[in-house]
Amino acid sequence: MLAEQYIRFLEREGYEVTWCENAQAGVAAADELHPDLIIVELLLAGHSGVEFLFEFRSYADWLNLPVIILSGISQLSSGVSSSTLLELGVSAYLYKPETSLEMLGRNVRKVLRPLQKKAK
Amino acid sequence: MSDNYTQSSGLLFTTLAEQVKLPFVTVKHAAELLRAHPNTEELERLLQTIALTSSSALRLIDSYLLSVSLQAEPRLPLEPVSLSSVMYDAAHSLDAYAKAHDCEIDLRLAGKFGPVMARREVVQSALESLGYSFIDAASRPDVHTKVTLAVRRTAGGTSTGVYSEISKLNSGLLKQAKVLKGIARQPLGDFSAGSGAGVFVADALFDFLDSSVRVAKFQGLFGLAANLTPSNQLSFV
């Protein structure tokens, strides 16, 4: 239900959204769809979101693709340091209990704005 | 009260707290969407989301509290319980939540099995806790899924459990998860992205019936089940 809420909200904001159930599907979908932004949950079934991001960043094509972490675990509890986030090129770390849909929308717009300007 | 009990209870509480955070987020977002679009055609769906998500979280909390209150009893007196009746009620309770997740509850009660020695409310709470976990784990946006509640006879008694097509459930995973309960964020990583609280609460409840949650298979499906002792007295009736 929660994933559906994020999908519906972002679609209502005008974005095309693809949901992937695990890291493997995420890599495959990125390869096929060439997204402008990836939103990652750290608590992925069977795979850590951080491992996924390290793997993801190892591909030259996705080195600069914007990433937002949207997680049910806070950054402090996750043990992921700010320097690791920087190294992974994470644009924002959003903790689900503290993040409203409006705040998610604001962060997505902020991350995508440079791309939109570039496209114009 | 032993240190082991206090520690185990604390870890179970941690998994529960971790799990119930997300239903609260779901309700919060639903309220936000209702405020932003008060006349939305999705009004009915959002209200249903709030009601069902709250109910599932409350049910999990109730099951946990039941396990805590049973700790105070020196020995839970067991009585003959009809599993088909309990499973029917559990399936009925899970039905609305399942439908909201585009999931179908499938009840399999075929075969001969008599009453078991248990406590009705304990078995039902445990099955519902497992059921909610399986619905959450199996559901995918825009994909129809099925969760099966089944009873079958085994060499050691009667097995009652919850099954789905999630194939990564195995004994090693469950054994490791029981050790990692309340410590790791995803003790049942290959099964559920959450804390797996429903599984551990069910395990704690089945423990009062001298049983435990085990990995089981049913007609090609993968699941978690508990073996209960048949009531010999009534099997002759």
Side-chain angles (χ1 to χ4, degrees):
Chain A
M1 269 186 203
L2 194 52
E4 267 185 24
Q5 283 183 329
Y6 291 126
I7 294 168
R8 281 172 193 266
F9 170 75
L10 290 170
E11 283 178 344
R12 193 177 272 172
E13 292 282 296
Y15 303 106
E16 197 179 314
V17 184
T18 300
W19 183 85
C20 301
E21 64 181 288
N22 55 41
Q24 202 180 2
V27 170
D31 198 25
E32 188 191 334
L33 302 168
H34 304 285
D36 294 317
L37 166 69
I38 290 197
I39 299 175
V40 180
E41 164 60 278
L42 288 185
L43 301 173
L44 293 169
H47 209 296
S48 139
V50 173
E51 286 169 27
F52 162 73
L53 285 175
F54 271 115
E55 186 191 336
F56 196 72
R57 289 300 192 210
S58 69
Y59 297 94
D61 286 355
W62 300 328
L63 215 50
N64 298 312
L65 183 63
V67 167
I68 288 176
I69 290 177
L70 177 63
S71 184
I73 170 172
S74 70
Q75 192 191 332
L76 185 66
S77 301
S78 74
V80 182
S81 67
S82 297
S83 59
T84 303
L85 294 179
L86 204 62
E87 188 187 341
L88 286 167
V90 174
S91 304
Y93 189 114
L94 305 175
Y95 177 42
K96 282 176 184 170
E98 290 174 357
T99 304
S100 63
L101 292 172
E102 190 274 332
M103 196 190 296
L104 171 66
R106 211 175 333 125
N107 275 277
V108 169
R109 279 194 299 277
K110 189 175 148 192
V111 170
L112 292 179
R113 201 172 296 136
L115 288 178
Q116 286 163 342
K117 274 185 187 169
K118 214 170 163 183
K120 280 177 189 172
Chain B
M1 207 175 283
S2 75
D3 286 349
N4 278 350
Y5 162 68
T6 309
Q7 190 188 10
S8 170
S9 188
L11 293 174
L12 188 57
F13 182 77
T14 306
T15 67
L16 178 83
E18 196 65 53
Q19 191 79 45
V20 296
K21 268 190 329 191
L22 295 183
F24 277 121
V25 177
T26 306
V27 169
K28 193 174 93 162
H29 288 343
E32 193 185 348
L33 288 169
L34 282 172
R35 199 185 310 117
H37 309 276
N39 298 315
T40 176
E41 70 276 9
E42 289 183 353
L43 180 73
E44 202 53 47
R45 194 186 59 78
L46 288 169
L47 290 175
Q48 194 199 27
T49 296
I50 291 172
L52 291 174
T53 308
S54 307
S55 298
S56 72
L58 286 170
R59 191 66 177 112
L60 186 60
I61 292 168
D62 272 343
S63 296
Y64 167 76
L65 290 174
L66 178 62
S67 79
V68 171
S69 68
L70 290 176
Q71 291 280 357
E73 302 220 13
R75 171 94 188 151
L76 186 66
L78 305 183
E79 55 196 24
V81 170
S82 156
L83 275 180
S84 44
S85 160
V86 176
M87 295 198 74
Y88 180 83
D89 285 350
H92 182 71
S93 295
L94 293 167
D95 193 51
Y97 187 72
K99 277 186 181 139
H101 283 76
D102 200 9
C103 177
E104 180 189 337
I105 294 291
D106 175 32
L107 189 58
R108 305 279 187 93
L109 301 171
K112 269 190 167 182
F113 52 89
V116 293
M117 291 307 290
R119 286 297 287 263
R120 186 189 171 85
E121 63 272 41
V122 175
V123 179
Q124 188 171 338
S125 279
L127 287 172
E128 287 180 21
S129 297
L130 282 179
Y132 283 120
S133 294
F134 270 78
I135 294 166
D136 286 339
S139 77
R140 307 274 177 273
D142 302 323
V143 178
H144 184 76
T145 53
K146 191 189 273 188
V147 166
T148 299
L149 271 68
V151 181
R152 67 187 174 91
R153 287 187 75 165
T154 61
T158 307
S159 168
T160 176
V162 183
Y163 304 81
S164 76
E165 288 182 341
I166 301 173
S167 61
K168 288 177 177 171
L169 269 176
N170 59 55
S171 303
L173 179 74
L174 184 63
K175 196 175 167 188
Q176 183 184 303
K178 286 183 181 180
V179 175
L180 293 175
K181 171 186 78 179
I183 300 166
R185 296 275 163 184
Q186 290 175 281
L188 273 163
D190 281 338
F191 169 66
S192 159
S195 72
V199 173
F200 300 121
V201 167
D203 190 48
L205 288 170
F206 278 126
D207 188 45
F208 294 106
L209 307 176
D210 299 323
S211 185
S212 62
V213 167
R214 288 161 192 250
V215 171
K217 281 189 180 177
F218 178 78
Q219 297 180 355
L221 298 170
F222 304 86
L224 295 169
N227 221 33
L228 298 172
T229 311
S231 162
N232 291 328
Q233 189 185 355
L234 288 185
S235 61
F236 295 110
V237 177

